[in-house]
Amino acid sequence: MWRGATRAGALAGLTAGGLLWLYTLFLPALDPDATWVIAGPFGIDALRPQALMGLEGYDPLVHASVWSLGINTLLFIGVSLFAPMRPLELLQGALFVEVFRGGGGEAGRFTHREAAAEDLFVLAQRILGAEAARRLFDEIAEAQGIQDGLPLPEDAMITRLERELAGSVGAASAHAMVMRATGGEIASLSELLDIADETQRLIETSANLEEKTTELEQTASALRRANERLRRLDKQKDEFLSQVSHELRTPMTSIRSFSEILLSEPDIDPADRARFMDIIHVESIRLTRLLDEILDISRLESGQSEIPLEAVPAAEAVQGAVDSVMGLARAGGVSITTQLPEPSLAVEANPDRLRQVLINLLSNAIKYNDHPEPRIEATCTMVGGLLAIDVGDNGGGVTRAEAEEIFSKFARGRRSGAAQGAGLGLPISRTIAQRMGGDLTVEFREDETSFFRVTLELTRSRAAPAPEISAETAAE
């Protein structure tokens, strides 16, 4: 007669159910477009993980749960029926199946309740742990009015102890242990203590399994997030290739068209010839600039492009960048205000590359500032022993959501609108700043307006004083 489930049955069911869960839900979620997921391993249609044995048309979670729990239950019952049972399992099965073997009904519950408190305390320590057992016996002793020492082994005390132990080892095992300790069973106390030790090991194993399950769930969640990010980057790459193809085709089409006109019509008007040549020249520059950007970021990220560093006066670098974009600022009616540090303050950088980064930030602020009275501020401050060059404008900036993606290659902010650009300026600028030992980040003020910050290391060994305003430039 089947008296109880064996540990072998439980382990077999858990193992098979867990493997089926991995096969039907976890692994397909990592790569849903894999051949073995769509057509089944080795092309066997019946083994498709999300339509196992032809069970189609169900949600993947429902499908996986049915197979996992079904096989778990079948193996649990099947193995338990035929596998040999351990003494603890025999005892638990007997208590449940032959509950009336001892007779006596409820009255028998209080027949043999005389036991040494020390035995009960040792039994509680084996199952609950030393601290938990001590707190429990202290509470019982206090309820009995005993200030020091163990409580009296009365019926109420033994009933509560059995209830507390049942929470850790189950009602049947707790009842068997307490009954033996109180003289109501034939098993020896040492055997019961062995049962308690084994139960404690099972509890620890179960806790470890729960911890591993939690780790697996966290890993699966991280993999899903990584997979989603890869999909998003792949989509951005496709959009970038489409955009680059369009931008390459546009200047090339212009160059080809006007070249064909010049070649096919030798008697063309000199003024038209000059205009066509100018268009070919401008489009050639545009095409070269786009290709240079793509090659530049590729060389920077691969380390093929060396960036020699030297002491660069910070005020000179910022002012030089402002002077370079002054014509663009005046054409757009944008005012630029600078707060420069003392002339002796120098940073470890490359002068040309640093100017490239600052010009990119300033030109972006000019082109994308849609404020009725556009204004840009370029300031230098000390932040954590580093020089911070901040470039901000009153056009709204970027949002926090955009700040996480705007430095990704091929990405463009919401303010870019119809402006031309491949979305490589900021990724190139950040890579340059990092190669110079600094960084380029988006920071936010208390009112949630944003600004770009370039941080660089100082070349002086001593701490730099607070920067002073040495010049103000305004272009109306």
Side-chain angles (χ1 to χ4, degrees), residues 307-318:
I307 301 182
L309 304 181
E310 59 183 76
V312 178
E316 179 181 324
V318 176

Side-chain angles (χ1 to χ4, degrees), residues 11 75 126 160 195 279 310 337 346 398 409 426 446 463:
L11 291 177
L75 285 178
R126 292 291 184 92
R160 181 178 177 185
I195 292 175
I279 293 174
E310 59 183 76
T337 303
V398 300
K409 291 190 294 290
L426 287 176
E446 292 183 357

Side-chain angles (χ1 to χ4, degrees), residues 131-200:
E131 287 298 323
R134 171 58 64 184
R135 287 195 300 270
L136 174 62
F137 274 65
D138 287 345
E139 291 177 6
I140 298 175
E142 184 178 353
Q144 293 179 351
I146 300 175
Q147 299 300 324
D148 296 317
L150 297 173
L152 298 176
E154 300 175 345
D155 286 337
M157 175 267 192
I158 295 174
T159 301
R160 181 178 177 185
L161 175 60
E162 183 178 325
R163 186 169 61 249
E164 294 291 338
L165 297 182
S168 297
V169 298
S173 297
H175 179 68
M177 294 175 185
V178 173
M179 286 298 292
R180 171 61 188 91
T182 56
E185 295 290 343
I186 60 174
S188 66
L189 182 60
S190 61
E191 291 174 337
L192 288 175
L193 294 179
D194 290 340
I195 292 175
D197 290 339
E198 183 182 44
T199 303
Q200 185 62 30

Side-chain angles (χ1 to χ4, degrees), residues 202-213:
L202 290 174
I203 294 172
E204 293 174 357
T205 301
S206 177
N208 291 333
L209 287 174
E210 290 180 1
E211 182 179 351
K212 294 297 182 183
T213 301

Side-chain angles (χ1 to χ4, degrees), residues 270-324:
D272 290 337
R273 180 184 297 273
R275 184 166 60 88
F276 294 163
M277 293 294 293
D278 183 64
I279 293 174
I280 291 174
H281 177 69
V282 171
E283 294 297 330
S284 298
I285 293 175
R286 177 183 169 191
L287 180 61
T288 303
R289 183 169 60 249
L290 177 60
L291 294 174
D292 286 343
E293 284 184 347
I294 296 174
L295 293 175
D296 195 21
I297 193 170
S298 177
R299 288 194 298 265
L300 286 170
E301 291 185 340
S302 63
Q304 297 177 0
S305 180
E306 295 294 333
I307 301 182
L309 304 181
E310 59 183 76
V312 178
E316 179 181 324
V318 176
Q319 189 61 55
V322 171
D323 293 340
S324 298

Side-chain angles (χ1 to χ4, degrees), residues 393-452:
D393 63 76
N394 61 344
V398 300
T399 64
R400 289 188 179 273
E402 289 178 330
E404 299 179 2
E405 301 291 341
I406 199 167
F407 291 108
S408 300
K409 291 190 294 290
F410 329 131
R412 299 173 64 190
R414 60 180 173 84
R415 291 198 300 165
S416 59
Q420 297 297 317
L424 293 175
L426 287 176
I428 291 175
S429 298
R430 180 177 233 182
T431 304
I432 291 173
Q434 292 174 343
R435 291 287 303 278
M436 293 190 300
D439 202 359
L440 170 59
T441 57
V442 178
E443 305 295 333
F444 290 87
R445 304 182 182 91
E446 292 183 357
D447 60 357
E448 288 299 307
T449 57
S450 65
F451 60 92
F452 287 90

Side-chain angles (χ1 to χ4, degrees), residues 86-407:
R86 303 170 64 85
L88 175 61
E89 294 162 348
L90 287 169
L91 177 60
Q92 291 173 330
L95 288 172
F96 278 108
V97 176
E98 299 178 7
V99 66
F100 299 108
R101 181 184 61 180
E106 185 64 24
R109 180 177 180 83
F110 302 96
T111 303
H112 302 287
R113 287 297 180 135
E114 300 174 356
E118 289 81 2
D119 291 342
L120 295 175
F121 183 60
V122 171
L123 181 62
Q125 283 182 313
R126 292 291 184 92
I127 298 176
L128 303 177
E131 287 298 323
R134 171 58 64 184
R135 287 195 300 270
L136 174 62
F137 274 65
D138 287 345
E139 291 177 6
I140 298 175
E142 184 178 353
Q144 293 179 351
I146 300 175
Q147 299 300 324
D148 296 317
L150 297 173
L152 298 176
E154 300 175 345
D155 286 337
M157 175 267 192
I158 295 174
T159 301
R160 181 178 177 185
L161 175 60
E162 183 178 325
R163 186 169 61 249
E164 294 291 338
L165 297 182
S168 297
V169 298
S173 297
H175 179 68
M177 294 175 185
V178 173
M179 286 298 292
R180 171 61 188 91
T182 56
E185 295 290 343
I186 60 174
S188 66
L189 182 60
S190 61
E191 291 174 337
L192 288 175
L193 294 179
D194 290 340
I195 292 175
D197 290 339
E198 183 182 44
T199 303
Q200 185 62 30
R201 287 194 297 271
L202 290 174
I203 294 172
E204 293 174 357
T205 301
S206 177
N208 291 333
L209 287 174
E210 290 180 1
E211 182 179 351
K212 294 297 182 183
T213 301
T214 302
E215 292 178 359
L216 284 174
E217 291 175 351
Q218 293 174 349
T219 302
S221 178
L223 287 173
R224 283 193 295 269
R225 290 194 298 270
N227 187 52
E228 180 61 29
R229 176 172 174 79
L230 288 174
R231 290 178 180 274
R232 186 167 59 252
L233 291 176
D234 186 64
K235 181 179 179 181
Q236 290 177 350
K237 179 201 67 176
D238 292 340
E239 293 174 352
F240 165 75
L241 291 176
S242 176
Q243 181 179 344
V244 168
S245 298
H246 173 73
E247 295 195 10
L248 288 175
R249 181 179 296 275
T250 301
M252 290 179 66
T253 301
S254 298
I255 293 172
R256 178 179 177 181
S257 299
F258 288 109
S259 298
E260 290 176 349
I261 293 174
L262 293 174
L263 289 173
S264 61
E265 300 181 17
D267 299 330
I268 193 172
D269 184 75
D272 290 337
R273 180 184 297 273
R275 184 166 60 88
F276 294 163
M277 293 294 293
D278 183 64
I279 293 174
I280 291 174
H281 177 69
V282 171
E283 294 297 330
S284 298
I285 293 175
R286 177 183 169 191
L287 180 61
T288 303
R289 183 169 60 249
L290 177 60
L291 294 174
D292 286 343
E293 284 184 347
I294 296 174
L295 293 175
D296 195 21
I297 193 170
S298 177
R299 288 194 298 265
L300 286 170
E301 291 185 340
S302 63
Q304 297 177 0
S305 180
E306 295 294 333
I307 301 182
L309 304 181
E310 59 183 76
V312 178
E316 179 181 324
V318 176
Q319 189 61 55
V322 171
D323 293 340
S324 298
V325 300
M326 193 62 67
L328 181 63
R330 285 177 176 168
V334 181
S335 66
I336 302 178
T337 303
T338 62
Q339 293 183 358
L340 305 179
E342 58 184 15
S344 62
L345 188 65
V347 293
E348 194 75 12
N350 181 278
D352 294 332
R353 288 295 191 175
L354 178 56
R355 177 170 293 192
Q356 177 184 350
V357 172
L358 296 177
I359 289 175
N360 181 66
L361 296 178
L362 290 169
S363 61
N364 283 348
I366 293 171
K367 289 187 292 185
Y368 303 137
N369 193 329
D370 55 3
H371 195 275
E373 297 180 0
R375 185 178 65 256
I376 297 174
E377 293 182 357
T379 62
C380 297
T381 56
M382 295 301 302
V383 178
L386 302 175
L387 178 68
I389 305 174
D390 298 339
V391 177
D393 63 76
N394 61 344
V398 300
T399 64
R400 289 188 179 273
E402 289 178 330
E404 299 179 2
E405 301 291 341
I406 199 167
F407 291 108

Side-chain angles (χ1 to χ4, degrees), residues 16-35:
L19 290 176
L20 268 174
W21 177 82
L22 287 172
Y23 179 72
T24 58
L25 184 63
F26 179 77
L27 294 178
L30 299 180
D31 190 4
D33 298 327
T35 303

